Every structure is written in C-alpha cells, then in structure tokens.
Amino acid sequence: MSTDSHAADMLLAACAAKTRHAHRRMAYARLNADLTIQQVSANFAAMAPAAPQPQADVLHQPLSDVLWEFVGADEALHDVWARRAPFFRLEHVNREQRDGSLHYLTFSVYRLEPDSGLDGLLLLVEDDTDYGRLHHQLVQDRNELRLVQGQLAAANKELTRIDRMKSLFLSMAAHDLRTPLSAIQGYAEMLLLGIAEPGSPKAFQYLDIIQQQSARLNQLIDDIVDLDLIEQGKLTLNLTPCDINPLLQEASSAYKFQLERRSITVHYNLAPEPITIWGDAEKMLRVFYNLVGNAVKYMASQGQITLRSQQQDGQAIIEVEDTGPGMTAEQLDNLFILYYRSEDVAKSPVKGSGLGLFIVKTMVEAHQGQVQVTSQPGQGSKFTLRLPLHQSDSGEILLQ
Ligand SMILES: Nc1ncnc2c1ncn2[C@@H]1O[C@H](COP(=O)(O)OP(=O)(O)O)[C@@H](O)[C@H]1O
Ligand SMILES: [Mg+2]
C-alpha cells in the first residue's frame, strides 16, 4: 500500500468514525459521483460479502454491481451527492455470510464534508446483527401475540356464548323439570281421588303418563349430573368388561310404553355372541338411553327402530337406526354441540334440553370410541358407534 493511499485510508477511517459514533462493527467505502467504488476499508469484503468479485476487484466497480441492495438506488444516491438529501439508508438488511450465518447490516451513504479533505460519498456498513435479530424476534413475538390475542378473543366469544346458553338452559331446565313433575302430581291426584277406576283403561293411561314423565325427569336429572361432571373434568369411568347387547335391550325396554302407544317397532339385529368392551356399563346404558330416546322422541307414530351390534376388526360396532324425520346437513353439523336443538324441533312441542348428544359423544370418546351419524331429511337417521373391543392381556379379544 503506498503512503498516499495509506493516508487516504486513515483519512477515510477518521471521516467514518466522525460521521457515525458507532460502537458496532463497521466497514466503509468511498464512492465517486458516478457511484463507483474508489476506496474500501480492509474489512469491507468480510463484512459485506459482495457479489462474486474478490475484494481487490471491488474497486472501480459500480456500487450496485457489488451490493445488489443498491440496485435502483442511483437516483437517491445522486440526491445525496447533490446535497438534496442528507443521507440514504438501508436498514437491517439481512445477508447470509460466507459461513452461512445470517447477519443484519445497515448501509448508510453520506456526502463527505468538504473540510474532510476527501471528496465523494461515504458508504458506511454497520453490523446490526444483535439489533436485527432482536427486531426479527420482536416482529415474530408481535405476530405470535396477535395470534394469541385472536385466539383469546375467539375463546372469550365462545365462553360468552356458552354462558348465555347455560343461562338459557337453566331457565329451560327449571321449566322442563316442573312440567313433568306437575303432570305426575296431577295424574297421581286424579287416581287418588278415584277419578279413574282402578284397573280401568283410564287408570292405565294415567299410570302410563306418570311412568313416562318420571322417566323424562330421570333422564333430565341424569343428563344434568353428567354435564356437571364433564364440565368439571370429573367424569370417571368404572371400567369392567361389559357386554353391549343386554344394554341395548335394557335401553329400549325403558321406552316400552311409548313404543307401544305410538306403534313403533324395535328390531333387534344383535350379534349372537357377547360384544364385550372395556367400559362403564352404567354410562354406556345412558348413551343408549339417549340414542333410543331420541329415535322414539323425534319419530311420528308407526315407525321402526333397528338396533344392531357386531364386531369387526377389533371394534364393537353399534347402530341405532330410525325411520324418523331425519336431519338436514346443517343439523348434522351442529348435532353434538352442547345445548343444540334444531330450530324446527325447538319450536315443536317435543321437549328436550340439547344435552343428550353432547353427553353421548363425550361418553363414547371417553371410552376411546367414535360416533358417526348418517341422515337425510325424511329418510330417518342412523347413529353408529365404534368402540374398541375388550382384549385380554395376551391381546386376544375376550368373548367371555
Ligand atoms: N333420531 C333423531 N332424529 C331426528 N333428529 C334428531 C335425532 N336425534 C337428535 N336429533 C336432533 O338433534 C338435536 C340434539 O339432540 P339432543 O342432544 O339429544 O338434545 P334433545 O333431544 O334434548 O333436543 C335434537 O334437538 C334434534 O334436533
Ligand atoms: Mg335427546
């Protein structure tokens, strides 16, 4: 290096230091009015790895050939040259270094002061990596925060909805509990007063109503208790090997009087062998009460209910099919949502709480099973449950 150029380097370094009191790693270069590079600091190539040229070749090259970030910046740089702009800056430009690491650089271009003894533009390259990474992290954190905020808002909205539904449910439940209770009370009183002769068809009809209404009360209370357990996360299963077939029979026989009165026939298409799952018999019975109860409840008279059970590929497959009104695609989408009752059903005299299917799904899933529904308006509905069959320790399916 000649003494002259060494002096110029020293001078440029002094200018750079004076221009920016930066403590960061810094490299610099001097540009001519035609935006070619005239002079660079020794660390220039290391800090701002340039286009393919080795460092020596950087000299006398147009800046935008060496640093692609300056492509299209000529006009802005001419403005700095003509002192129409105080500086030109590209901040936090990320660049891959030769070792593959990502660095953030800030490029600033100033017009050299006339009193500096040097003419031209001063290009400063500052290593912003700490700041850049922080900035990058901040942007990432802010995006995550926005996402979480969005999720929180959605969760809040859902909570408000559930809260409103719960209040609605409570007022409905109070009404629903009172209605069967007053029917029971009224018909029991009539029997006590001898309005219907004991053993007469009328007396039988009154007793039938009392029985039905008590069953409804029971069902509602059971559903409310289950819901409370589910909501508190306290649903516990009393697991034993349990055969599905007798449970299906028991569930349907609970509706014996209603089935007879409304000329609904139940067909049993049950596997001849026990269909044994590792389950809570009482909870599964409640699942079947709900499914058969819906089939009975939503069906006009003169329908058919088919109960099927079979085992296939290590699974118990249980179907509850009815020839009832069926459901629309929209109803099917919402079916298992807590408190959901379809609009037309809610307006109809058929009473309900919208708890049943939510409980069914929760119970079945707690047994590692799944519920599926197929239905079309006017074509009946079919609920299919799949539950893992009980297996012995040796992995064999127990048939008992
Ligand atoms: N077998 C069925 N046939 C037609 N609609 C049904 C049937 N089962 C359930 N539904 C519809 O799904 C809704 C939710 O059922 P469920 O959770 O048991 O509540 P609920 O019976 O108390 O209304 C019902 O209100 C009804 O609209
Ligand atoms: Mg129901």
Coordinates of all heavy atoms in Angstrom, one line a residue, residues 31-106:
L31 N -17.2 6.5 -2.5 CA -17.7 6.4 -3.9 C -17.5 7.7 -4.6 O -17.5 8.8 -4.0 CB -19.3 6.2 -3.9 CG -19.8 5.1 -2.9 CD1 -21.3 5.1 -3.0 CD2 -19.3 3.7 -3.3
N32 N -17.4 7.6 -6.0 CA -17.3 8.7 -6.8 C -18.7 9.2 -7.2 O -19.7 8.5 -6.9 CB -16.6 8.4 -8.1 CG -15.1 8.8 -8.0 OD1 -14.7 9.4 -7.0 ND2 -14.4 8.6 -9.1
A33 N -18.7 10.4 -7.9 CA -20.0 10.9 -8.3 C -20.7 9.9 -9.3 O -22.0 9.9 -9.3 CB -19.8 12.2 -9.0
D34 N -19.9 9.1 -10.0 CA -20.6 8.2 -10.9 C -21.0 6.9 -10.2 O -21.3 5.9 -10.8 CB -19.7 7.8 -12.1 CG -18.4 7.2 -11.6 OD1 -18.2 7.0 -10.4 OD2 -17.5 6.9 -12.5
L35 N -20.9 6.9 -8.8 CA -21.3 5.8 -7.9 C -20.5 4.5 -8.1 O -20.9 3.4 -8.0 CB -22.8 5.4 -8.1 CG -23.8 6.6 -8.0 CD1 -25.2 6.2 -8.1 CD2 -23.6 7.3 -6.6
T36 N -19.2 4.7 -8.5 CA -18.3 3.6 -8.5 C -17.5 3.7 -7.2 O -17.3 4.7 -6.6 CB -17.3 3.6 -9.7 OG1 -16.7 4.9 -9.7 CG2 -18.1 3.4 -11.0
I37 N -17.0 2.5 -6.8 CA -16.3 2.4 -5.6 C -14.8 2.8 -5.8 O -14.1 2.3 -6.7 CB -16.3 1.0 -5.0 CG1 -17.8 0.6 -4.7 CG2 -15.5 0.8 -3.8 CD1 -18.0 -0.8 -4.2
Q38 N -14.3 3.7 -5.0 CA -13.0 4.3 -5.1 C -12.0 3.7 -4.1 O -10.8 3.6 -4.3 CB -13.0 5.8 -5.0 CG -13.7 6.5 -6.2 CD -13.2 6.0 -7.5 OE1 -12.0 6.1 -7.8 NE2 -14.0 5.5 -8.4
Q39 N -12.6 3.4 -3.0 CA -11.7 3.1 -1.8 C -12.5 2.2 -0.9 O -13.7 2.5 -0.7 CB -11.3 4.4 -1.2 CG -10.2 4.3 -0.2 CD -10.0 5.7 0.5 OE1 -10.5 6.7 -0.1 NE2 -9.3 5.7 1.6
V40 N -12.0 1.2 -0.3 CA -12.7 0.4 0.7 C -11.8 0.1 2.0 O -10.6 0.1 1.8 CB -13.2 -1.0 0.2 CG1 -14.3 -0.8 -0.8 CG2 -12.0 -1.8 -0.4
S41 N -12.5 -0.1 3.1 CA -11.7 -0.4 4.3 C -11.3 -1.9 4.2 O -12.0 -2.7 3.4 CB -12.5 -0.2 5.6 OG -13.7 -1.0 5.5
A42 N -10.3 -2.3 4.9 CA -9.8 -3.7 4.8 C -10.8 -4.7 5.1 O -10.8 -5.8 4.5 CB -8.6 -3.8 5.7
N43 N -11.8 -4.4 6.0 CA -12.8 -5.4 6.4 C -14.0 -5.3 5.5 O -15.0 -6.0 5.8 CB -13.1 -5.2 7.8 CG -13.8 -3.8 8.1 OD1 -13.8 -3.0 7.2 ND2 -14.3 -3.7 9.3
F44 N -14.0 -4.5 4.4 CA -15.2 -4.3 3.7 C -15.8 -5.6 3.1 O -16.9 -5.9 3.3 CB -14.9 -3.3 2.5 CG -16.2 -3.0 1.8 CD1 -17.0 -2.0 2.2 CD2 -16.5 -3.6 0.6 CE1 -18.2 -1.7 1.5 CE2 -17.6 -3.3 -0.1 CZ -18.5 -2.3 0.3
A45 N -14.9 -6.4 2.5 CA -15.4 -7.6 1.8 C -15.8 -8.6 2.8 O -16.8 -9.4 2.6 CB -14.3 -8.2 0.9
A46 N -15.2 -8.6 4.0 CA -15.6 -9.6 5.0 C -16.9 -9.3 5.6 O -17.8 -10.1 5.9 CB -14.5 -9.6 6.1
M47 N -17.2 -8.0 5.7 CA -18.5 -7.6 6.4 C -19.6 -7.6 5.4 O -20.8 -7.8 5.8 CB -18.3 -6.2 7.0 CG -18.1 -6.3 8.4 SD -18.2 -4.7 9.2 CE -20.0 -4.4 9.2
A48 N -19.3 -7.1 4.2 CA -20.4 -7.1 3.2 C -20.0 -7.9 2.0 O -19.7 -7.4 1.0 CB -20.6 -5.6 2.8
P49 N -20.0 -9.2 2.2 CA -19.6 -10.1 1.1 C -20.3 -9.7 -0.1 O -21.5 -9.7 -0.2 CB -20.0 -11.5 1.6 CG -20.3 -11.4 3.0 CD -20.6 -10.0 3.3
A50 N -19.5 -9.4 -1.1 CA -20.0 -8.8 -2.3 C -20.3 -9.9 -3.3 O -20.1 -11.0 -3.1 CB -19.0 -7.8 -2.9
A51 N -20.9 -9.4 -4.3 CA -21.1 -10.2 -5.5 C -19.8 -11.0 -5.8 O -18.8 -10.8 -5.1 CB -21.5 -9.3 -6.6
P52 N -19.8 -11.8 -6.8 CA -18.7 -12.8 -6.9 C -17.2 -12.2 -6.8 O -16.3 -13.0 -6.5 CB -18.9 -13.4 -8.3 CG -20.2 -12.8 -8.8 CD -20.7 -11.8 -7.8
Q53 N -17.1 -10.9 -7.0 CA -15.7 -10.4 -7.1 C -14.9 -10.5 -5.8 O -15.5 -10.3 -4.8 CB -15.7 -8.9 -7.5 CG -16.4 -8.6 -8.7 CD -17.8 -8.2 -8.4 OE1 -18.4 -8.6 -7.5 NE2 -18.4 -7.4 -9.3
P54 N -13.7 -10.9 -5.9 CA -12.8 -10.8 -4.7 C -12.6 -9.3 -4.4 O -12.9 -8.4 -5.2 CB -11.5 -11.4 -5.1 CG -11.5 -11.4 -6.6 CD -12.9 -11.4 -7.1
Q55 N -12.2 -9.0 -3.2 CA -12.1 -7.7 -2.7 C -11.4 -6.7 -3.6 O -11.9 -5.6 -3.9 CB -11.4 -7.7 -1.3 CG -10.7 -6.4 -1.0 CD -11.0 -5.9 0.3 OE1 -11.3 -6.6 1.2 NE2 -11.0 -4.6 0.5
A56 N -10.3 -7.1 -4.1 CA -9.5 -6.2 -5.0 C -10.3 -5.7 -6.2 O -10.2 -4.5 -6.5 CB -8.2 -6.9 -5.5
D57 N -11.1 -6.6 -6.7 CA -11.9 -6.2 -7.9 C -13.1 -5.3 -7.6 O -13.7 -4.9 -8.5 CB -12.4 -7.5 -8.6 CG -11.2 -8.3 -9.1 OD1 -10.1 -7.7 -9.2 OD2 -11.3 -9.5 -9.4
V58 N -13.3 -5.1 -6.4 CA -14.5 -4.3 -6.0 C -14.2 -2.8 -6.4 O -15.1 -2.1 -6.8 CB -14.7 -4.4 -4.5 CG1 -15.5 -3.3 -4.0 CG2 -15.4 -5.7 -4.2
L59 N -12.9 -2.5 -6.4 CA -12.6 -1.1 -6.7 C -12.9 -0.8 -8.1 O -12.8 -1.6 -9.0 CB -11.1 -0.9 -6.5 CG -10.6 -1.0 -5.0 CD1 -9.1 -0.8 -4.9 CD2 -11.3 0.1 -4.2
H60 N -13.4 0.4 -8.3 CA -13.9 1.0 -9.6 C -15.1 0.3 -10.2 O -15.4 0.5 -11.3 CB -12.7 0.9 -10.6 CG -11.4 1.5 -10.0 ND1 -11.4 2.8 -9.6 CD2 -10.2 1.0 -9.7 CE1 -10.2 3.1 -9.1 NE2 -9.5 1.9 -9.1
Q61 N -15.7 -0.6 -9.4 CA -17.0 -1.2 -9.8 C -18.1 -0.3 -9.4 O -18.1 0.4 -8.4 CB -17.2 -2.5 -9.1 CG -16.1 -3.6 -9.4 CD -16.3 -4.2 -10.8 OE1 -17.5 -4.2 -11.3 NE2 -15.3 -4.5 -11.5
P62 N -19.2 -0.3 -10.2 CA -20.4 0.4 -9.8 C -20.9 -0.2 -8.5 O -20.9 -1.5 -8.4 CB -21.4 0.2 -10.9 CG -20.6 -0.2 -12.1 CD -19.4 -0.9 -11.5
L63 N -21.4 0.6 -7.6 CA -21.8 0.1 -6.2 C -22.9 -1.0 -6.4 O -22.9 -2.0 -5.7 CB -22.3 1.3 -5.4 CG -22.9 0.9 -4.0 CD1 -21.8 0.3 -3.1 CD2 -23.5 2.1 -3.4
S64 N -23.8 -0.7 -7.3 CA -25.0 -1.6 -7.4 C -24.5 -3.0 -8.0 O -25.3 -4.0 -7.9 CB -26.1 -1.0 -8.2 OG -25.6 -0.7 -9.5
D65 N -23.3 -3.1 -8.6 CA -22.8 -4.4 -9.1 C -22.3 -5.2 -7.9 O -22.2 -6.4 -7.9 CB -21.7 -4.2 -10.1 CG -22.3 -3.8 -11.5 OD1 -23.5 -3.6 -11.6 OD2 -21.5 -3.7 -12.4
V66 N -21.8 -4.4 -6.9 CA -21.1 -5.1 -5.8 C -22.1 -5.4 -4.7 O -22.1 -6.5 -4.1 CB -20.0 -4.1 -5.3 CG1 -19.4 -4.7 -4.0 CG2 -19.0 -3.9 -6.3
L67 N -23.0 -4.5 -4.4 CA -24.0 -4.7 -3.4 C -25.4 -4.6 -4.1 O -25.9 -3.5 -4.4 CB -23.9 -3.6 -2.3 CG -22.6 -3.6 -1.5 CD1 -22.6 -2.4 -0.5 CD2 -22.4 -4.9 -0.8
W68 N -26.1 -5.7 -4.3 CA -27.3 -5.8 -5.0 C -28.4 -4.9 -4.3 O -29.3 -4.5 -5.0 CB -27.8 -7.2 -5.3 CG -28.0 -8.0 -4.0 CD1 -27.1 -8.8 -3.4 CD2 -29.2 -7.9 -3.1 NE1 -27.7 -9.3 -2.2 CE2 -28.9 -8.8 -2.1 CE3 -30.4 -7.2 -3.2 CZ2 -29.8 -9.0 -1.0 CZ3 -31.3 -7.4 -2.1 CH2 -31.0 -8.3 -1.1
E69 N -28.2 -4.7 -3.1 CA -29.2 -3.9 -2.3 C -29.4 -2.5 -2.9 O -30.4 -1.8 -2.8 CB -28.9 -3.7 -0.9 CG -29.0 -5.0 0.0 CD -27.8 -5.9 -0.1 OE1 -26.8 -5.5 -0.9 OE2 -27.7 -6.9 0.6
F70 N -28.3 -2.0 -3.6 CA -28.3 -0.7 -4.2 C -28.9 -0.6 -5.6 O -28.9 0.5 -6.2 CB -26.9 0.0 -4.1 CG -26.6 0.4 -2.7 CD1 -26.0 -0.5 -1.8 CD2 -27.0 1.7 -2.2 CE1 -25.7 -0.1 -0.5 CE2 -26.7 2.1 -0.9 CZ -26.1 1.2 0.0
V71 N -29.3 -1.7 -6.1 CA -29.9 -1.7 -7.5 C -31.1 -0.8 -7.4 O -32.0 -1.0 -6.5 CB -30.2 -3.1 -8.0 CG1 -31.0 -3.1 -9.3 CG2 -29.0 -4.0 -8.1
G72 N -31.2 0.2 -8.2 CA -32.4 1.0 -8.3 C -32.3 2.2 -7.3 O -33.2 3.0 -7.2
A73 N -31.1 2.3 -6.6 CA -31.0 3.4 -5.7 C -30.2 4.6 -6.2 O -29.9 5.6 -5.5 CB -30.3 2.9 -4.4
D74 N -29.9 4.6 -7.5 CA -29.0 5.6 -8.1 C -29.5 7.0 -7.9 O -28.8 7.9 -7.5 CB -28.8 5.4 -9.6 CG -27.9 4.2 -9.9 OD1 -27.5 3.5 -8.9 OD2 -27.5 4.0 -11.1
E75 N -30.8 7.1 -8.1 CA -31.4 8.5 -8.0 C -31.3 9.0 -6.6 O -30.9 10.2 -6.4 CB -32.9 8.4 -8.4 CG -33.4 9.8 -8.9 CD -34.8 9.7 -9.3 OE1 -35.2 8.7 -9.9 OE2 -35.6 10.7 -8.9
A76 N -31.6 8.2 -5.6 CA -31.5 8.6 -4.2 C -30.0 8.9 -3.9 O -29.8 9.9 -3.1 CB -32.0 7.5 -3.3
L77 N -29.1 8.2 -4.4 CA -27.7 8.5 -4.1 C -27.2 9.8 -4.8 O -26.5 10.6 -4.2 CB -26.8 7.3 -4.6 CG -27.0 6.0 -3.9 CD1 -26.1 4.9 -4.4 CD2 -26.8 6.2 -2.4
H78 N -27.7 10.1 -6.0 CA -27.4 11.3 -6.6 C -28.0 12.5 -5.8 O -27.3 13.6 -5.8 CB -28.0 11.4 -8.1 CG -27.1 10.5 -9.0 ND1 -25.8 10.7 -9.2 CD2 -27.5 9.5 -9.9 CE1 -25.3 9.8 -10.0 NE2 -26.3 9.1 -10.5
D79 N -29.1 12.3 -5.2 CA -29.7 13.3 -4.3 C -28.8 13.6 -3.2 O -28.6 14.8 -2.8 CB -31.1 12.9 -3.8 CG -32.2 13.0 -4.8 OD1 -31.9 13.7 -5.9 OD2 -33.3 12.5 -4.6
V80 N -28.1 12.6 -2.6 CA -27.2 12.8 -1.5 C -26.0 13.5 -2.0 O -25.5 14.5 -1.4 CB -26.8 11.4 -0.9 CG1 -25.8 11.6 0.2 CG2 -28.0 10.7 -0.3
W81 N -25.5 13.1 -3.2 CA -24.4 13.8 -3.8 C -24.7 15.3 -4.0 O -23.8 16.1 -3.6 CB -24.1 13.1 -5.2 CG -22.9 13.8 -5.8 CD1 -22.9 14.9 -6.6 CD2 -21.5 13.4 -5.7 NE1 -21.7 15.3 -7.0 CE2 -20.8 14.4 -6.4 CE3 -20.9 12.4 -5.0 CZ2 -19.4 14.3 -6.5 CZ3 -19.5 12.4 -5.1 CH2 -18.8 13.3 -5.8
A82 N -25.8 15.6 -4.5 CA -26.2 17.0 -4.7 C -26.7 17.7 -3.5 O -27.2 18.8 -3.5 CB -27.3 17.0 -5.8
R83 N -26.6 17.0 -2.3 CA -27.0 17.5 -1.0 C -28.5 17.9 -1.0 O -28.9 18.7 -0.2 CB -26.2 18.7 -0.6 CG -24.7 18.4 -0.5 CD -24.0 19.6 0.2 NE -22.5 19.6 -0.1 CZ -21.7 18.8 0.6 NH1 -22.1 18.0 1.5 NH2 -20.4 18.8 0.3
R84 N -29.2 17.2 -1.9 CA -30.7 17.4 -1.8 C -31.3 16.5 -0.7 O -32.3 16.8 -0.2 CB -31.4 17.0 -3.1 CG -31.2 18.1 -4.2 CD -32.0 17.8 -5.4 NE -31.6 16.6 -6.1 CZ -30.7 16.5 -7.1 NH1 -30.1 17.7 -7.4 NH2 -30.4 15.4 -7.7
A85 N -30.5 15.5 -0.3 CA -30.9 14.6 0.8 C -29.7 14.5 1.7 O -28.6 14.4 1.2 CB -31.3 13.3 0.3
P86 N -29.9 14.5 3.0 CA -28.8 14.4 3.9 C -28.1 13.1 3.9 O -26.9 13.0 4.1 CB -29.4 14.7 5.3 CG -30.9 14.4 5.2 CD -31.2 14.6 3.7
F87 N -28.8 12.0 3.7 CA -28.2 10.7 3.6 C -29.2 9.7 3.0 O -30.4 10.0 2.8 CB -27.8 10.2 5.0 CG -29.0 10.1 6.0 CD1 -29.8 9.0 6.0 CD2 -29.3 11.1 6.8 CE1 -30.9 8.9 6.8 CE2 -30.3 11.1 7.7 CZ -31.2 9.9 7.7
F88 N -28.7 8.5 2.7 CA -29.5 7.5 2.1 C -29.2 6.3 3.0 O -28.1 5.9 3.3 CB -29.2 7.2 0.7 CG -30.0 6.0 0.1 CD1 -31.3 6.1 -0.1 CD2 -29.3 4.8 -0.1 CE1 -32.0 5.0 -0.6 CE2 -30.0 3.7 -0.6 CZ -31.3 3.8 -0.9
R89 N -30.3 5.5 3.4 CA -30.0 4.4 4.4 C -30.9 3.2 4.0 O -32.1 3.3 3.7 CB -30.3 4.9 5.8 CG -29.9 3.9 6.8 CD -29.9 4.5 8.2 NE -28.9 5.4 8.4 CZ -28.9 6.4 9.3 NH1 -29.9 6.6 10.1 NH2 -27.9 7.3 9.4
L90 N -30.3 2.1 4.1 CA -31.0 0.8 4.0 C -30.8 0.1 5.4 O -29.6 -0.2 5.7 CB -30.4 -0.1 2.9 CG -30.6 0.5 1.5 CD1 -29.8 -0.3 0.5 CD2 -32.1 0.4 1.1
E91 N -31.8 -0.1 6.1 CA -31.7 -0.6 7.5 C -31.9 -2.1 7.6 O -32.8 -2.6 6.9 CB -32.6 0.2 8.4 CG -32.2 1.6 8.6 CD -33.0 2.3 9.7 OE1 -34.2 2.4 9.5 OE2 -32.4 2.7 10.7
H92 N -31.2 -2.7 8.4 CA -31.4 -4.1 8.9 C -31.6 -5.0 7.7 O -32.5 -5.8 7.6 CB -32.6 -4.2 9.8 CG -32.8 -3.1 10.8 ND1 -31.7 -2.7 11.5 CD2 -33.8 -2.3 11.0 CE1 -32.1 -1.7 12.3 NE2 -33.3 -1.4 12.0
V93 N -30.7 -4.9 6.7 CA -30.8 -5.8 5.6 C -30.2 -7.1 6.0 O -29.0 -7.1 6.5 CB -29.9 -5.2 4.4 CG1 -29.8 -6.2 3.2 CG2 -30.4 -3.8 4.0
N94 N -30.9 -8.2 5.8 CA -30.3 -9.5 6.3 C -29.5 -10.1 5.1 O -30.0 -10.1 4.0 CB -31.2 -10.4 7.0 CG -32.4 -10.8 6.1 OD1 -32.3 -10.8 4.9 ND2 -33.5 -11.1 6.7
R95 N -28.4 -10.7 5.5 CA -27.5 -11.2 4.5 C -26.8 -12.4 5.0 O -26.4 -12.5 6.2 CB -26.3 -10.2 4.3 CG -26.4 -9.5 3.0 CD -25.4 -8.4 3.0 NE -25.4 -7.8 1.6 CZ -24.6 -8.1 0.7 NH1 -23.6 -9.0 0.9 NH2 -24.6 -7.6 -0.5
E96 N -26.7 -13.4 4.2 CA -26.0 -14.6 4.6 C -24.5 -14.4 4.4 O -24.1 -13.9 3.4 CB -26.5 -15.8 3.7 CG -26.3 -17.1 4.4 CD -26.9 -18.2 3.7 OE1 -28.1 -18.1 3.3 OE2 -26.2 -19.2 3.4
Q97 N -23.8 -14.7 5.5 CA -22.3 -14.5 5.4 C -21.7 -15.8 4.7 O -22.4 -16.8 4.5 CB -21.8 -14.4 6.8 CG -22.3 -13.2 7.5 CD -21.8 -11.8 7.0 OE1 -20.6 -11.5 7.1 NE2 -22.7 -11.1 6.4
R98 N -20.5 -15.7 4.4 CA -19.8 -16.9 3.8 C -19.9 -18.1 4.6 O -20.0 -19.2 4.1 CB -18.4 -16.5 3.5 CG -18.2 -15.4 2.4 CD -17.1 -15.7 1.4 NE -17.3 -14.9 0.2 CZ -16.7 -13.7 0.1 NH1 -16.0 -13.2 1.1 NH2 -16.9 -13.0 -1.0
D99 N -19.9 -18.0 5.9 CA -20.0 -19.2 6.8 C -21.5 -19.6 7.0 O -21.7 -20.5 7.7 CB -19.4 -18.9 8.2 CG -20.2 -17.8 9.0 OD1 -21.2 -17.3 8.4 OD2 -19.7 -17.5 10.1
G100 N -22.4 -19.0 6.3 CA -23.8 -19.5 6.3 C -24.6 -18.8 7.4 O -25.8 -18.9 7.4
S101 N -24.0 -18.0 8.3 CA -24.7 -17.4 9.3 C -25.4 -16.1 8.8 O -25.0 -15.6 7.8 CB -23.8 -16.9 10.5 OG -22.9 -16.0 10.0
L102 N -26.5 -15.8 9.4 CA -27.3 -14.6 9.0 C -26.9 -13.4 9.7 O -26.9 -13.4 11.0 CB -28.8 -14.9 9.2 CG -29.8 -14.1 8.4 CD1 -29.6 -14.4 6.9 CD2 -31.2 -14.4 8.8
H103 N -26.6 -12.3 9.0 CA -26.2 -11.1 9.6 C -27.1 -10.0 9.2 O -27.7 -10.1 8.1 CB -24.8 -10.7 9.3 CG -23.8 -11.4 10.1 ND1 -22.9 -10.7 10.9 CD2 -23.6 -12.7 10.4 CE1 -22.1 -11.5 11.6 NE2 -22.5 -12.8 11.3
Y104 N -27.3 -9.0 10.0 CA -28.1 -7.8 9.6 C -27.2 -6.7 9.4 O -26.3 -6.4 10.3 CB -29.1 -7.5 10.7 CG -30.2 -8.6 10.8 CD1 -30.0 -9.7 11.4 CD2 -31.5 -8.3 10.1 CE1 -31.0 -10.7 11.5 CE2 -32.5 -9.3 10.2 CZ -32.2 -10.5 10.9 OH -33.2 -11.4 10.9
L105 N -27.3 -6.0 8.3 CA -26.4 -4.9 8.0 C -27.2 -3.6 7.8 O -28.3 -3.7 7.2 CB -25.6 -5.2 6.8 CG -24.7 -6.4 6.8 CD1 -24.0 -6.6 5.5 CD2 -23.6 -6.3 8.0
T106 N -26.7 -2.5 8.2 CA -27.3 -1.2 7.8 C -26.3 -0.5 6.9 O -25.2 -0.3 7.3 CB -27.7 -0.4 9.1 OG1 -28.8 -1.0 9.7 CG2 -28.1 1.0 8.7

